[in-house]
Amino acid sequence: MNESGTNAGKLSDVQIKELIHTAIGQLAYSYTPYSDFRVGAALLAKNGKIYGGCNIENAAYTPTNCAERTAFFKAVSEGVREFEAICIVGGKDGILSKYTSPCGVCRQVMMEFCSPEDFQIILAVSEEDYQICQLKELLPMGFGPGNLA
């Protein structure tokens, strides 16, 4: 199944497949000794560079970091602050069977750096089975930098 949102035409099929492939590759780096639920992410910056991320758990739980935030923080720490899309994959023991949607904290981080109307989120199980949505669909009426202007 390949479902696309209204803005899905912005990414080419090649870009989508590359993001999915990269996100799946990030599963190997996940550190998940407590949940065994591995998540991989691939963040496409507007400059064309892709930043990978994986989830990193912690025995104290609160310091755990999601794959999406890992990718964003890597990019921002290198001076990149403009983004086109992110692909997210996940599953128990790294086995992909359902779409893995970003948590609320990750959605808020996306809101900080991305246009809710333009930023695309690819939820994938494989290169053939994915869904694309916009940030505004996952975080309607989100609070971001524009609210403070």
Side-chain angles (χ1 to χ4, degrees):
M1 178 172 69
N2 174 357
E3 298 179 26
S4 298
T6 57
N7 232 12
K10 291 180 98 178
L11 295 173
S12 71
D13 287 340
V14 171
Q15 287 175 307
I16 292 168
K17 289 185 186 301
E18 183 177 12
L19 288 169
I20 294 170
H21 178 78
T22 301
I24 291 171
Q26 291 295 304
L27 294 170
Y29 303 116
S30 289
Y31 177 72
T32 58
Y34 308 105
S35 73
D36 293 321
F37 193 91
R38 295 173 179 251
V39 180
L43 176 64
L44 176 62
K46 286 192 177 183
N47 66 11
K49 186 169 180 182
I50 295 174
Y51 293 87
C54 65
N55 55 328
I56 304 165
E57 293 181 346
N58 188 288
Y61 294 110
T62 302
T64 293
N65 202 53
C66 298
E68 302 92 307
R69 283 183 282 143
T70 299
F72 269 95
F73 296 163
K74 283 168 66 174
V76 172
S77 73
E78 294 180 20
V80 178
R81 295 192 179 138
E82 296 182 343
F83 306 99
E84 295 281 338
I86 192 167
C87 176
I88 307 161
V89 299
K92 194 76 165 170
D93 296 318
I95 299 167
L96 308 181
S97 61
K98 296 179 182 178
Y99 297 138
T100 301
S101 187
C103 75
V105 174
C106 289
R107 293 173 196 206
Q108 188 61 47
V109 168
M110 291 175 195
M111 187 73 182
E112 183 69 22
F113 296 102
C114 306
S115 163
E117 292 82 22
D118 299 324
F119 188 68
Q120 296 179 69
I121 301 167
I122 304 165
L123 307 176
V125 175
S126 70
E127 289 183 13
E128 295 77 33
D129 184 0
Y130 62 89
Q131 179 176 343
I132 301 175
C133 52
Q134 295 167 301
L135 178 55
K136 70 178 180 180
E137 295 174 281
L138 296 184
L139 190 62
M141 298 177 64
F143 185 89
N147 296 97
L148 299 175

